Amino acid sequence: MDSSNLERKNSFSTFPIFGMEKILKENFDIQSKNPSQEALRKWRSAVSVVKNRRRRFRHTADLEKRDEAEKKKLGIQEKIRVVLYVQKAALQFINAGKRVEYPLSDETSKAGYGIEPNELASIVRSHDYNRLKLHGGVDSIARKIRVFLDSGVNSSDIPLRQKIYGFNRYTEKPPRSFWMFLWDALQDLTLIILMVCAVVSVGVGIATEGWPNGMYDGLGIILSIFLVVMVTAISDYKQSLQFRDLDKEKKKIFVQVTRDGFRQKVSIYDLVVGDIVHLSIGDQVPADGIFISGYSVEIDESSLSGESETVHTNPDQPFLLSGTKVQDGSGKMLVTSVGMRTEWGKLMESLSEGGEDETPLQVKLHGVATIIGKIGLGFAILTFLVLTIRFIVEKALNNELTKWSSSDALELMDFFAIAVTIIVVAVPEGLPLAVTLSLAFAMKKLMNDRALVRHLSACETMGSASCICTDKTGTLTTNHMVVSKISICEETKEIRGNDSVEPTKSAISQGVMELLLQAIFLNTGSEVVKGKDGKNNILGSPTESALLEFGLLMGGDFDAQRREYKIVKVEPFNSIRKKMSVLVSVSTGGFRVFCKGASEIILSMCDKIVDNNGVPIRLSEERIKNVMDIINGFACEALRTLCLAFKDMDENLNGDSLPSNGYTLIAVVGIKDPVRPGVRKAVQTCLASGITVRMVTGDNINTAKAIARECGILTDDGLAIEGPDFHSKSAEEMKKLIPRIQVMARSLPLDKHTLVTKLRNTFGEIVAVTGDGTNDAPALHESDIGLAMGIAGTEVAKENADVIIMDDNFATIVNVARWGRSVYINIQKFVQFQLTVNVVALMLNFVSACISGSAPLTAVQLLWVNMIMDTLGALALATEPPNDGLMKRPPVGRGANFITRTMWKNIIGQSIYQLAVLAILKFDGKKLLRLKGSDATAVLDTFIFNTFVFCQVFNEINSRDMEKINVFRGMFNSWVFLAVMVVTVAFQIIIVEFLGTFASTVPLSWQLWLLSILIGFLSMIVAVIIKCVPVELGKPKSHDGYEALPSEP
């Protein structure tokens, strides 16, 4: 069924009362990611009837502050751009004449340092190469800040360094205290009006009825307001603590440094001036610093300068700025300034203003609150007018129109208080805040389950995901790689730990083994370092670590190889080249290039292969076919295949690229990376819930197909395609192919980006994409939900992602989808519950006012009802954990109606039942209940109030499931829901039995208590009947499982 038909089927044309969806889609519809400024301003201007602007818009981006921050950011960027790109030699010469001097302070001198913090910061910030040379270069700077470039900072010096040179932190706004939340809760206009009414009521009451009887009504309202404000403030404050914890988790970035002579990981916030930081592709430069050594380091400075062109960093251009990204290469830097002494620190201070974009659900519920609020305001005004007119007419009929007393003023004040309280109940201010509460709860739970949600909207959008484009390595597999097979000298050997060492060595000549170990140890971005325990530790990517482990197993010595050969040039691996090359100078003279990478690519660069004696022989067509058979054989066993090759050269290339042909093939390596336990089950869960899983990998197509079949991704009718084939297709051919594509192998980042764009724009899919590399950033940014890997992912990928999968596990991604669906349906439950209370409270008070001239629910009682349906209702329904049934229904489509027909059916059905019961009680209750005596009216009003509350309590239980009859499933696992139920009932008993003086209630007999509970419970029977009524005529309804309604999750 196409989306237009779905939309038509779920339209609200059958409910003319609420053309709500049309208004929501016109004014309250924004993109989940990167919404336009126009859309953000449009919905803000459409919001009206706001009781408490400060609280309601607390989690809404401040566009004015954001504009100011953007201007500030542009100013800083322009300043940096001038320094980096405009400042020519003439300007340097002019500045040299008026160079600022930085005399060494006593504090710095006594600490043993030879350069001032501001001077050190100035050298890097202004790229002052002349001043750097004046100080003697990076080696002399290192001596002046008391650090050895090979061993790094001593841990014992860190406190002193932080005292002199500062901490690597930028200025942040202090967190809001509980009292600020309490103050926000008091800003509610209706509560302020009620407080004024209460004070007036106390004054008039004492004047007419004396002390203390005259103060009870007003004091009751004040106490109720105090309770509402306290509960609201506590709820908001606890929510803010959850967000604070999430923010702390988001800022946990670790970098590799050399300290105390050892390589180790430290938080960027613990970096100090003098630290030796190791940088590689995708890292964010964590502080300002000076380049020490490295290869092919390309830095993206666009985050600071706005310039998109990368900067090549080398000893002649040694300056590295905090906040920039390593686009290519690897190297070491000396930290020279941290925190607010860097331009990045100043930039981050300005970027903390403005807040995060609101989510689509928050905006929709602002719209629902606005629409219901307008209706409520209208009813409140009508109720006040009806009560006032009736009162005046009655006085006129009794010829008392000219006689006014303070009791008359008090009665009019009560009418006004009731009208204002109706607005309190009718304007569902808590709806947008319930989304934030639900998201905060889900994000906290997901953080415990190893998924860090960086953007609020991602958690919400993930519940609607219809397609996941996932990487293979580390996500579907364990990322714990070992060399399993090797083909060398036209022989294939299986590697099984130490038992394989002697058989492998005996089958290979000494010359070939030396060549193999050179190819492994010299052509790598990883390192073998000694840990504090004296053992060898391998630092680097899992693939390279597997090769180094194999080299060490074969008796190789990493340090000896590195000492013997001098590395001249390195071309690091990236996802576009799919290979890594290194040029080394040979001690006997000349140069040698080693190359490794994707098997087909390296093989195509070779024209020779080493024989058993290490002698290169011609790579004939037959030998190429044999090698390809070996590669495909390894791949069909789900092994990742790499080829290692070399080429001898007589002279250096003098800056040119390393050669791309004429190589000699050394070996084909098969690396085993087992499928993660539980992945197949997670994939099956996705497929059962209407989420298509596509594998997008850079690996060999046979390896990809083998893993995809093992995971349950590739089916008999599915298509596996290679990236080059895919991007060579026309737009029309892509349109036919994409629905069948389940595996894309040998893909480039551009292929992933194209696939995501087509899925979103052509097929209307809501796409989640995983990524770990720098080049994955465009696809992560383009997707609806970008999922970066927490272990294998680079900082660039994480920065462009919406969710970080901390354990790199596909099952965790499915858990994010489950919680996303839970957020959506929990908010639907809460909206259904709250709108039912709205409708009943409004109609009951209005109809009663019109007919009898009095409202059955007093201001205090309505405030209590408001708290049940707002703060307590949100806590109970918006924080329910997900159940397995959520993953047995299709995802929510783009443009689907939020308030579905099923919800309207439940709202209208429950409202009719409650109104009918309460109306009968109001107008014929004394007779039916056989109430007599002077307190009959008070008993009846208390009974109506009690019954109304218990109807809401049982309806809250009904709302736990909008379609299924068994609403108790999982209820006893949700301690928050149970706690809210217990608190609600306990407070109701206290209000009725003990606070009658303030709440205008009287104690009830046990029979009336039982009858109240029974009438409330009957709403559950009514709910069962309503659920049996199909939402569409002729459509069968099943209650054995969730029905696949397209407009619901």
Side-chain angles (χ1 to χ4, degrees):
M1 188 181 292
D2 62 57
S3 59
S4 60
N5 284 338
L6 287 177
E7 221 167 295
R8 249 192 328 270
K9 285 179 75 137
N10 289 282
S11 71
F12 285 92
S13 54
T14 49
F15 299 104
I17 150 187
F18 306 115
M20 193 178 283
E21 284 297 328
K22 186 180 177 186
I23 298 168
L24 292 180
K25 284 175 182 174
E26 282 176 2
N27 299 312
F28 297 93
D29 194 22
I30 63 166
Q31 293 291 321
S32 60
K33 206 167 176 180
N34 307 315
S36 67
Q37 286 291 306
E38 183 187 356
L40 292 175
R41 293 188 189 281
K42 185 178 181 182
W43 81 258
R44 282 166 173 75
S45 63
V47 170
S48 58
V49 195
V50 179
K51 297 187 296 181
N52 188 341
R53 188 163 288 276
R54 281 178 65 144
R55 181 170 182 257
R56 180 150 163 192
F57 292 103
R58 184 188 300 129
H59 298 288
T60 302
D62 189 323
L63 299 183
E64 282 68 32
K65 278 189 180 178
R66 187 182 282 181
D67 288 343
E68 286 173 23
E70 187 63 27
K71 286 175 187 173
K72 194 173 178 181
K73 174 188 169 185
L74 291 173
I76 294 170
Q77 283 185 334
E78 181 61 23
K79 180 181 167 186
I80 296 166
R81 196 182 70 80
V82 168
V83 170
L84 299 184
Y85 299 99
V86 181
Q87 203 173 42
K88 304 297 180 187
L91 287 172
Q92 296 260 8
F93 177 75
I94 292 165
N95 288 339
K98 53 176 183 178
R99 179 168 282 143
V100 178
E101 294 302 324
Y102 296 92
L104 201 64
S105 68
D106 290 342
E107 187 183 26
T108 308
S109 179
K110 283 176 184 174
Y113 301 116
I115 188 167
E116 272 298 299
N118 289 335
E119 182 174 10
L120 200 50
S122 171
I123 290 172
V124 176
R125 188 169 59 239
S126 57
H127 283 41
D128 194 340
Y129 192 67
N130 291 335
R131 193 185 282 265
L132 177 63
K133 283 199 295 185
L134 198 67
H135 278 283
V138 65
D139 294 306
S140 181
I141 291 284
R143 284 194 296 275
K144 289 182 179 184
I145 56 175
R146 290 173 44 203
V147 68
F148 294 104
L149 294 179
D150 55 348
S151 59
V153 167
N154 289 324
S155 296
S156 57
D157 291 345
I158 288 174
L160 183 60
R161 289 178 184 275
Q162 288 175 331
K163 181 184 175 185
I164 302 296
Y165 291 101
F167 292 82
N168 197 27
R169 295 180 180 274
Y170 57 85
T171 306
E172 295 182 84
K173 287 193 299 184
R176 291 165 60 88
S177 67
F178 170 73
W179 303 110
M180 294 177 78
F181 287 99
L182 192 69
W183 178 250
D184 281 356
L186 280 166
Q187 303 306 302
D188 190 312
L189 181 62
T190 50
L191 294 184
I192 292 169
I193 293 170
L194 281 176
M195 280 190 274
V196 172
C197 291
V199 171
V200 173
S201 176
V202 168
V204 175
I206 291 173
T208 55
E209 299 177 38
W211 176 273
N213 294 337
M215 59 173 277
Y216 290 138
D217 288 346
L219 192 59
I221 294 173
I222 290 170
L223 289 174
S224 300
I225 290 169
F226 174 76
L227 185 64
V228 168
V229 166
M230 285 300 294
V231 170
T232 301
I234 292 167
S235 173
D236 290 350
Y237 179 64
K238 285 179 72 69
Q239 199 181 111
S240 78
L241 293 180
Q242 286 182 318
F243 280 122
R244 204 182 299 172
D245 290 343
L246 288 165
D247 282 338
K248 282 180 188 173
E249 199 67 32
K250 285 180 198 175
K251 291 170 184 173
K252 283 185 181 176
I253 300 172
F254 292 88
V255 289
Q256 290 275 351
V257 300
T258 297
R259 272 188 190 174
D260 301 318
F262 299 102
R263 279 278 289 272
Q264 51 192 282
K265 267 186 178 182
V266 301
S267 166
I268 60 166
Y269 300 110
D270 295 332
L271 279 183
V272 293
V273 168
D275 264 323
I276 310 300
V277 178
H278 298 258
L279 299 171
S280 56
I281 295 176
D283 284 348
Q284 178 175 303
V285 179
D288 284 2
I290 302 172
F291 178 80
I292 300 170
S293 63
Y295 304 101
S296 310
V297 178
E298 297 286 332
I299 301 292
D300 174 12
E301 295 184 336
S302 59
S303 56
L304 273 180
S305 66
E307 296 286 340
S308 57
E309 193 174 337
T310 58
V311 176
H312 182 65
T313 303
N314 53 46
D316 296 326
Q317 286 183 297
F319 302 111
L320 291 153
L321 295 176
S322 177
T324 57
K325 314 292 190 304
V326 182
Q327 193 74 20
D328 207 352
S330 61
K332 292 194 294 184
M333 67 172 267
L334 172 69
V335 174
T336 56
S337 47
V338 293
M340 293 306 293
R341 282 197 172 94
T342 67
E343 294 295 347
W344 182 249
K346 296 168 190 172
L347 193 62
M348 290 306 291
E349 182 186 20
S350 69
L351 291 182
S352 63
E353 297 290 334
E356 189 178 344
D357 282 332
E358 48 276 16
T359 74
L361 255 186
Q362 284 174 326
V363 172
K364 264 185 185 172
L365 292 184
H366 272 294
V368 173
T370 297
I371 295 163
I372 301 298
K374 286 178 179 177
I375 296 168
L377 181 62
F379 270 94
I381 292 168
L382 276 174
T383 303
F384 178 69
L385 290 174
V386 168
L387 288 170
T388 305
I389 291 166
R390 280 186 65 103
F391 178 72
I392 292 169
V393 168
E394 281 178 12
K395 281 187 77 71
L397 291 173
N398 294 327
N399 296 318
E400 295 175 355
L401 201 54
T402 56
K403 299 173 186 174
W404 291 84
S405 64
S406 56
S407 60
D408 293 334
L410 197 59
E411 197 159 350
L412 287 172
M413 185 64 68
D414 286 342
F415 294 161
F416 183 70
I418 288 167
V420 172
T421 315
I422 287 174
I423 297 172
V424 173
V425 177
V427 180
E429 202 92 299
L431 285 181
L433 299 169
V435 181
T436 313
L437 175 67
S438 188
L439 287 170
F441 182 78
M443 287 164 73
K444 182 76 174 174
K445 292 291 184 184
L446 282 170
M447 190 169 74
N448 296 336
D449 292 341
R450 311 300 295 146
L452 176 61
V453 180
R454 293 185 70 247
H455 301 129
L456 270 178
S457 59
C459 188
E460 183 183 297
T461 310
M462 193 64 197
S464 303
S466 58
C467 170
I468 299 174
C469 295
T470 177
D471 289 334
K472 175 183 76 69
T473 307
T475 309
L476 300 172
T477 60
T478 59
N479 218 12
H480 296 147
M481 300 191 189
V482 289
V483 173
S484 177
K485 286 188 175 182
I486 184 168
S487 174
I488 188 166
C489 302
E490 301 184 280
E491 281 192 47
T492 299
K493 296 289 178 185
E494 194 161 347
I495 310 300
R496 292 183 178 175
N498 291 323
D499 297 341
S500 308
V501 175
E502 288 309 318
T504 305
K505 279 186 172 182
S506 61
I508 304 170
S509 68
Q510 183 65 30
V512 175
M513 180 57 75
E514 282 183 13
L515 193 61
L516 176 64
L517 293 176
Q518 286 172 21
I520 290 172
F521 290 135
L522 296 175
N523 187 22
T524 181
S526 297
E527 289 184 68
V528 179
V529 298
K530 293 282 184 190
K532 290 183 179 179
D533 55 2
K535 293 180 181 177
N536 283 333
N537 292 325
I538 298 174
L539 301 173
S541 71
T543 307
E544 295 205 323
S545 297
L547 283 174
L548 288 178
E549 267 185 41
F550 172 71
L552 294 172
L553 187 69
M554 292 295 117
D557 187 328
F558 179 83
D559 291 329
Q561 292 279 2
R562 287 299 180 105
R563 284 193 299 270
E564 187 177 345
Y565 296 92
K566 183 188 175 187
I567 294 174
V568 179
K569 184 178 175 65
V570 175
E571 285 185 356
F573 179 89
N574 67 33
S575 53
I576 296 173
R577 284 193 289 264
K578 296 195 183 296
K579 63 186 175 74
M580 177 181 181
S581 306
V582 61
L583 176 69
V584 299
S585 61
V586 184
S587 56
T588 55
F591 297 89
R592 179 172 283 175
V593 183
F594 289 102
C595 189
K596 72 175 179 196
S599 304
E600 307 93 301
I601 293 172
I602 303 301
L603 183 60
S604 69
M605 295 163 60
C606 296
D607 56 14
K608 300 181 194 69
I609 186 170
V610 292
D611 67 5
N612 198 33
N613 299 314
V615 178
I617 57 175
R618 194 176 73 84
L619 195 60
S620 63
E621 288 296 324
E622 185 182 349
R623 285 195 176 101
I624 290 173
K625 183 179 180 300
N626 290 340
V627 173
M628 280 306 300
D629 288 343
I630 290 165
I631 291 168
N632 290 331
F634 284 5
C636 289
E637 293 177 44
L639 300 180
R640 166 174 270 198
T641 62
L642 292 176
C643 282
L644 308 179
F646 79 100
K647 179 178 182 174
D648 284 327
M649 299 171 62
D650 295 329
E651 56 185 359
N652 196 350
L653 295 168
N654 295 323
D656 294 333
S657 296
L658 297 179
S660 58
N661 54 40
Y663 285 84
T664 301
L665 184 66
I666 303 170
V668 179
V669 179
I671 297 175
K672 186 172 181 62
D673 185 12
V675 170
R676 282 182 182 273
V679 161
R680 188 178 182 89
K681 184 182 176 184
V683 169
Q684 293 303 321
T685 301
C686 284
L687 298 177
S689 63
I691 302 173
T692 306
V693 181
R694 292 179 169 90
M695 180 200 286
V696 184
T697 178
D699 260 355
N700 178 291
I701 191 163
N702 291 316
T703 306
K705 284 162 74 173
I707 295 287
R709 284 200 180 95
E710 195 176 339
C711 294
I713 292 171
L714 185 60
T715 58
D716 294 337
D717 58 345
L719 177 67
I721 192 171
E722 290 190 321
D725 289 345
F726 175 72
H727 69 237
S728 67
K729 303 292 183 188
S730 66
E732 198 57 40
E733 287 174 318
M734 280 188 184
K735 194 172 179 180
K736 291 177 183 175
L737 280 177
I738 285 173
R740 290 185 54 230
I741 291 176
Q742 291 174 341
V743 175
M744 188 187 289
R746 287 289 181 242
S747 66
L748 297 172
L750 181 62
D751 300 327
K752 186 188 275 191
H753 184 267
T754 303
L755 178 64
V756 171
T757 305
K758 293 283 183 188
L759 284 167
R760 291 185 73 232
N761 299 340
T762 307
F763 296 94
E765 300 262 17
I766 296 174
V767 186
V769 172
T770 70
D772 52 21
T774 306
N775 291 311
D776 287 327
L780 291 169
H781 189 265
E782 173 66 24
S783 65
D784 293 285
I785 313 104
L787 304 160
M789 300 297 108
I791 299 169
T794 62
E795 285 308 316
V796 172
K798 291 174 187 176
E799 192 178 88
N800 283 275
D802 304 295
V803 181
I804 298 171
I805 307 301
M806 310 290 277
D807 58 0
D808 292 12
N809 193 341
F810 185 80
T812 305
I813 297 172
V814 179
N815 198 32
V816 177
R818 183 183 283 109
W819 271 101
R821 292 187 175 199
S822 178
V823 166
Y824 190 90
I825 203 160
N826 281 350
I827 299 303
Q828 283 188 315
K829 293 174 191 175
F830 176 59
V831 168
Q832 176 183 296
F833 169 69
Q834 193 168 54
L835 291 187
T836 305
V837 184
N838 279 133
V839 170
V840 175
L842 282 178
M843 294 304 297
L844 181 67
N845 268 18
F846 176 69
V847 172
S848 177
C850 290
I851 296 173
S852 68
S854 64
L857 300 177
T858 66
V860 172
Q861 292 167 1
L862 281 171
L863 283 169
W864 169 234
V865 168
N866 177 65
M867 198 162 75
I868 292 173
M869 75 170 194
D870 197 332
T871 309
L872 296 179
L875 277 171
L877 294 170
T879 60
E880 285 235 283
N883 58 63
D884 293 336
L886 290 175
M887 298 305 283
K888 294 177 183 175
R889 46 171 58 194
V892 181
R894 288 189 194 274
N897 293 337
F898 176 70
I899 305 180
T900 63
R901 286 190 169 198
T902 300
M903 291 169 68
W904 280 123
K905 179 184 70 174
N906 293 336
I907 291 166
I908 292 168
Q910 284 292 335
S911 298
I912 290 170
Y913 166 72
Q914 290 184 26
L915 282 169
V917 168
L918 295 171
I920 290 167
L921 289 174
K922 173 66 181 171
F923 300 112
D924 211 16
K926 287 181 186 177
K927 183 179 173 184
L928 289 172
L929 299 173
R930 297 175 183 173
L931 299 175
K932 294 176 183 176
S934 58
D935 64 344
T937 302
V939 171
L940 179 62
D941 286 345
T942 303
F943 180 73
I944 290 171
F945 166 57
N946 207 38
T947 304
F948 178 72
V949 168
F950 275 100
C951 280
Q952 307 326 312
V953 168
F954 284 101
N955 192 37
E956 204 160 349
I957 298 171
N958 284 331
S959 297
R960 291 191 70 251
D961 201 304
M962 295 181 291
E963 295 174 31
K964 294 182 80 174
I965 289 172
N966 183 9
V967 292
F968 295 104
R969 188 181 66 171
M971 188 174 88
F972 298 100
N973 296 328
S974 177
W975 67 268
V976 178
F977 187 91
L978 293 174
V980 168
M981 292 293 101
V982 170
V983 167
T984 303
V985 172
F987 261 88
Q988 182 63 18
I989 292 168
I990 292 167
I991 287 169
V992 170
E993 295 295 323
F994 305 107
L995 297 178
T997 311
F998 300 104
S1000 304
T1001 59
V1002 293
L1004 297 176
S1005 65
W1006 69 266
Q1007 293 95 336
L1008 290 178
W1009 269 103
L1010 197 61
L1011 186 58
S1012 287
I1013 295 167
L1014 180 62
I1015 293 170
F1017 176 76
L1018 282 175
S1019 70
M1020 300 191 74
I1021 310 298
V1022 172
V1024 171
I1025 297 166
I1026 293 167
K1027 287 172 185 176
C1028 290
V1029 178
V1031 287
E1032 292 176 32
L1033 293 175
K1035 184 171 180 178
K1037 180 79 177 173
S1038 169
H1039 293 291
D1040 296 326
Y1042 277 98
E1043 189 176 340
L1045 293 175
S1047 62
E1048 296 178 56

